[in-house]
Every structure is written in C-alpha cells, then in structure tokens.
Amino acid sequence: MTDGRDPASPVQTGRSGKAPLGRLIALLASVSFASSVVAALAVACVIGTLLPQGEEVARYLRKNPGGMARMERLDFLGLTHVFSCWWFLALLGLLALSLTICTFRRGRAALKSKGRARGRAIGSMLTHISLLLVLAGGVMRGVFGERGQMPLHEGDTKAEFVEDGTTVALPFSIHLVKFELEVHSESPAVERKARIIDERLLVKQPETGRQWKLSSKVGTEKRLKLKGGAAGATGPIELRVVRKVADFVVDTRGVANRSDEPRNPALLVETVAGGVTNQQWLFAFHPDFNMHGADGAASVLDFRYEVKVDDPGKPQVKDYKSTLQVLDGTNVVVAKTIEVNAPLRYGGYTFYQSGFNPQDLKWTSLQVVRDPGVPVVYAGFLFMIIGLAAVFYLYPQAPPGRPRRSNTSEVE
Amino acid sequence: MTLLFNLVFVAYLAALVVSVVSLCTRRRAVELPALGLLVAGAVLQAAYMAVRWHAAGRAPFSNMFESLVLFSWAIVAVYLVVRVRIKLPVVGAAATLLAVLALAYASAFGSDIKPLMPALQSNWLSVHVFTCFLGYAGFAVSFIGAIAYLVASREGSQSRSETADALDVMVEKTIAFGFLFLTVGIITGAVWANSAWGSYWTWDPKETWSLITWFIYAVYLHCRFMRGWRGRRAAWIAVAGFASVLFTYVGVNFLLPGLHSYALLAGPSHAGPWAA
C-alpha cells in the first residue's frame, strides 16, 4: 500500500502467481470492476429516465402513433422497462457479488488492523453490508410483496384488493366508516379570478419528431415545412389560430364561452394542406378530446394546446381522511382514521390513503401494500448512515503526507 | 419579509464585489470586509427563513423558491465552515457568486406562501430537503475547489503545489460531507415516500438522478481512498458530479416530470384512480 491509499483498505496484490479462482475473486473485489458496474448502472439509470418506461409507453404511443416500430425495438432490448429487465437485474447481481466479496475483505482487514484503521474498516464494511441489505430488501419486495388498490364506499366492507387486475384475498376485512375531505379555508387571494399565466400551441410531426412551439394568439399564422415521413407528407402546411375560448361549452348556438375564467380553455386551429382545409378544437385540460381529422394536415401532425393557470380561488385540498375498521369476522379488531402520511398497519399489510372521488365524496381509495423487505431495507439505511459517519468523521483517514501526483496513482 | 430578502441579496452582492476587488488588487486586507458581509448575509438569510417558517407554520423547504433560498444559504454556510480550515479567497468569491446566482434564480419564482398538498405535510419533508441541500452545498463548494484546482494545477501555473494541494484536500472533504448528507437525504426521502405512498423507491426521475449523482461520488471516493487518485482526474469527477447535481435539482424538474414535479408546480395529488 502506498501513500494516498486508505490504510484500512485491504491490500490489492498483484495478479501473478494466483489460481484462476483467486484471480476472479480479486477481479470481482477490485475498484475497477465495482466502478465499471456502477458506471453501467448509472448509464442504465440515465436511459431509464430519458426513454418512456412502463405505462408511459402507452401514453407515448397515443401521442406518437408512428412510433410503434421504434418502441418494439426498444422493448426487445429491455429499454422500455429498464429497471426490471434482465440485464439491469444482472448488473445489480454483479454489484451484490462485488459488495459481498468486499465486505469479507473489509471484515478481514478490520480483524487485522487496530485503532482508527479498525474503526474505519468496520465503518466501510457496514456501508457495504448496508447496500447488500437494501438490495436484499428489494428482492424480498419483488418476490413476496403485494400491492394493489381497494376502492371503498362509506359503509362497505371488503376482504380483498385488486393487484394488476387480479383479486387478492385478505385474511381479515376492512370497513370504511367515513371519508372526509378538508380544504384550506384561508385563501388570501380568493377574490382574484383565475387567469392564464402562460400558454402556447405545440405542433409535432410524430414520424420525424419535429416540433414547433407557436403562439396561441388568435390570428397567429405559420407556414410549416414538413420533412418526409412515412405518410409521405412533405408540406408545406398553412396553420392559423382561428378562435380561442376560456371556458368551452357547446349549447344550442354551437360553441360558446361559458365564463371568462379558464375553466376549459380551448383553441380552434385551421390547417390548409394540399388544398384540404381542416379545423379542429384543441382542449388544454382534456387533450384526449382533441378532434383529429382523418385527412389533410391533421392526419400527420399532433396538436396540443398547453396552458398554465393561476387559480387563487380554487379550494386547495388540505387533507383527506378515511376512518377504517379492521374486522375479524364481525369483531372490530382495530379502528383508525388514516390520512396521507399516516397509514393503518395490520397483519403485515399497510393501508394508505391513496385517493378519493371528487364526484362522490363517499368513496375512498386505499393502497394496500405488503412488503416484508421494508425492515431489512431500513436496517440497511441505518447501517449506511453509521458506516459513512464512521468512515468520514469518527475514524477519518489519517492525513497523508504530501499527496502523490495523479500520474503515479494508477499503480495497483 | 421582502425587505429581508433584498437585504440578503445586497449583502451577498456586496461581498461578491469586495471579494473580486480583493482578488484583483491582491490586497488581502480587503478580504476581511468581504467575509464580514458574507457572514452578515448568512445571518440575515437564516433570519429570513425563520420568519418565513413562522409565517407559513411549516419549514420553508417546499417549492423551488424556498429550496433555492436554502441552497444559497447552505453554500455560504459550508464555505464559511471550510474557510475556518482553508483560507482561499478565490473559493470564497466563487461560493458567493453561486449564492448570488441561486438567489437571483429564486427571484424568478413566486415567493407567495401557499398551502401544501397533503403528501407534503410531513416532517420528513423538512429533514429530506434540508439534508439534501446541505449535501448539494457540499458538492457546490467541491465543484468550486475542483475548478480552482484544475486552473491552479495547469502546466506552468505559478500557484501549483501548495494551493493546488490545499484545493485537492478541500474537494475531498467537501465531497465526503456532501456524500454523507446526500445519503441521509435520499434515505429520509425513501422513508417519507414509504410512509406516504407505500413505496420507498419508485424509480421516479428525481430519485433515479439522485442515485446517479450518488454513484458518481461513490466512484470518486473509492478511486480516491482505494486507488489513491489525486489531482486532475479526481477533480474532473468532482466536476461531473456537480453537473449531475444540477441536473438532478433543476434539469429533472423541467425535462423529466415525475413524483417530484411538485417542486416546480402544484403537481400530482396522488389522488389515485380518481385524481382530479
């Protein structure tokens, strides 16, 4: 071990003269290997945040119908479900293997060292164990965990919940006594009306990914030059914003503005392409209701009207609570009023206040979770904090002499 | 409250100007007034946050404006602690500049005190945000140190050797500090998420990017402690780490919305299948 290295760290010996198994273990325990695995995990994480994952894929395809082939290719590579695909789990497995070997090495170093170096080696070992515990807890969640929804109406009693479309039985029943919704009464700016503080018209050519951000002001005109896509649309397309209403409604006179407040902002857009004129309404809050034409520009472009509203008068939800009873047969075993951040725990299950029905406040939605891995993960968290505190502050590395220059630090 | 905020801004701005003058004129005597202004600004800012806490009835760490104010304060606080051990005026000037930029950026967001959505009404929020931003501040100061090191250690630079060595050590210490607090921040966030939504980890973009940041600094610490990395390579990892911090903090909010989107707007209410 040379200056600049942690005196509590195990000595990394040279590779010559070792049996193949010994060389493999040395490789798995090396910083280079662990760093490579961590770097690969980091890249996978970046991909997982940039590409649509899981349920986002369906939403992406609704917006980009031409992207099906691309999504299928990504799906084949596991890139639409990065965090559960085999190669990501394999990387986590390699990390666990490396951590396990490092843990043993740190343990051995702790036994051989004394004083500050021992404390530091133990701290380092604890941090490695903590990561193993977190990974083990995650595996337990994946294998033994249950998670689903339980909608309940006041007065209802249920002994089952729904997990991914499958009904799962509970060994006891849950009875909803009452649901309560609280709103913030104090609203200093309640006299002010709601208003649009930002808005724009987004036009996208899904097949090429090209996008235009346009003003949503009535009278805005734009000549869009399309690049060739699968549909063969090459443009140009003339676009014009024809009309805007803050609170869209259809009555006997046709489209009307119900109020000046942006309760249902909508934009009427006209496109002219290849002699075909098309008009469509775009709804800021309900883009699924945007009326897509089958011909002309509307068939090759995706339109969205985006608005940001400041609505000081809108009552804000302060809290929502469900008063629950756990029943064993007809006996009430436990009664508790749950709210967000305060769930009910019973029989290995936890019941979270998950949602409510704004149209019918007699309904509540509970999230039902059984995760036997949580105590293991929490133990890992505790070990992690203790271990890091030991390494950095309780038993810090002895101040080295003059730091070595980087051109010699690669020597192993 | 606005007056207090403006006073903080003026104090930091004045500290920045005096620091730059001190650096340009190489008059060390001018550094002391800059330090005094910085301390005064930090005290005023702590008072501002306390007043806001009292007015809101909760810790002022729940939106972009409040987190930026906390971030700027934490940068100054971490620098002042570092300053006790290592006296490098250029780091002070750069830390002050970062604090000023954070406050200026905060001004772009509404400072109104708004009621919190139910999920945010938790003491875990305060601990989670506070520890995360202490960690971010540690990384910010380490970033300054790394950049200063890269400049100071250039071939032919006269300030090579002692200054560079001091910066190298400072980067390590501040990264160790930041790593510990980022870890605590991630853990408290996980515990809070589990108590609110029944899941300690959901691969939400913010969570995932904080993990990426954690990975980068974990690699830095391993390379440094286990393989003796010093100097420019280590400094470049510190720079990459802070780029990841910035993306985790700001970039994710704008580009990758998820559970943490409430940090920018009044986001999802987690109202389940009937979300309004």
Side-chain angles (χ1 to χ4, degrees), chain B residues 19-172:
Chain B
S19 296
V20 171
V21 169
S22 165
L23 283 173
C24 292
T25 58
R26 295 181 184 275
R27 289 175 61 190
R28 299 297 293 268
V30 190
E31 195 215 339
L32 214 57
L35 196 63
L37 284 165
L38 204 55
V39 172
V43 171
L44 283 172
Q45 197 171 6
Y48 171 77
M49 289 191 289
V51 170
R52 194 175 171 92
W53 190 323
H54 179 71
R58 57 168 172 79
F61 310 144
S62 67
N63 57 31
M64 199 66 181
F65 171 81
E66 290 174 343
S67 71
L68 280 163
V69 171
L70 174 64
F71 187 37
S72 70
W73 178 82
I75 290 171
V76 173
V78 169
Y79 165 68
L80 290 174
V81 172
V82 167
R83 170 68 177 64
V84 174
R85 299 287 293 273
I86 303 171
K87 294 176 179 59
L88 293 166
V90 68
V91 176
T96 311
L97 175 64
L98 270 188
V100 168
L101 289 176
L103 276 187
Y105 188 37
S107 308
F109 295 89
S111 63
D112 295 349
I113 295 175
K114 290 184 176 166
L116 293 181
M117 56 187 272
L120 298 185
Q121 295 164 23
S122 166
N123 289 332
W124 284 111
L125 168 74
S126 313
V127 184
H128 167 59
V129 176
F130 187 74
T131 48
C132 276
F133 278 90
L134 272 186
Y136 285 2
F139 295 141
V141 176
S142 79
F143 166 75
I144 293 167
I147 294 289
Y149 178 89
L150 290 170
V151 173
S153 65
R154 281 177 309 178
E155 289 297 330
S157 170
Q158 292 180 346
S159 57
R160 206 176 155 123
S161 69
E162 282 187 12
T163 303
D165 290 346
L167 286 165
D168 191 54
V169 171
M170 188 199 89
V171 172
E172 177 198 307

Side-chain angles (χ1 to χ4, degrees), chain A residues 4 6 9 32 49 106 141 147 184 318 320 341 352 354-356 358 367 378 393 397 402 404 406 409-410, chain B residues 115 119 121 165 177 192 194 196-199 201 209 224-228 230 233 256 269-272 274:
Chain A
D6 187 343
S9 68
S32 306
T49 57
R106 296 303 163 99
R141 172 162 84 161
R147 177 180 303 273
H184 286 282
K318 184 178 181 183
Y320 40 110
N341 285 310
Y352 295 89
S354 157
F356 61 93
Q367 170 141 259
Y378 280 16
Y393 295 106
Q397 189 175 9
R402 189 180 173 75
R404 55 199 278 164
S406 57
S409 60
E410 273 283 35
Chain B
Q121 295 164 23
D165 290 346
F177 173 86
W192 171 32
N194 195 53
W197 302 298
S199 182
W201 195 264
W209 270 94
R224 185 155 184 109
F225 291 139
M226 301 292 297
R227 298 192 61 168
R230 295 286 184 274
R233 279 186 305 184
L256 307 170
S269 62
H270 300 284
W274 296 307

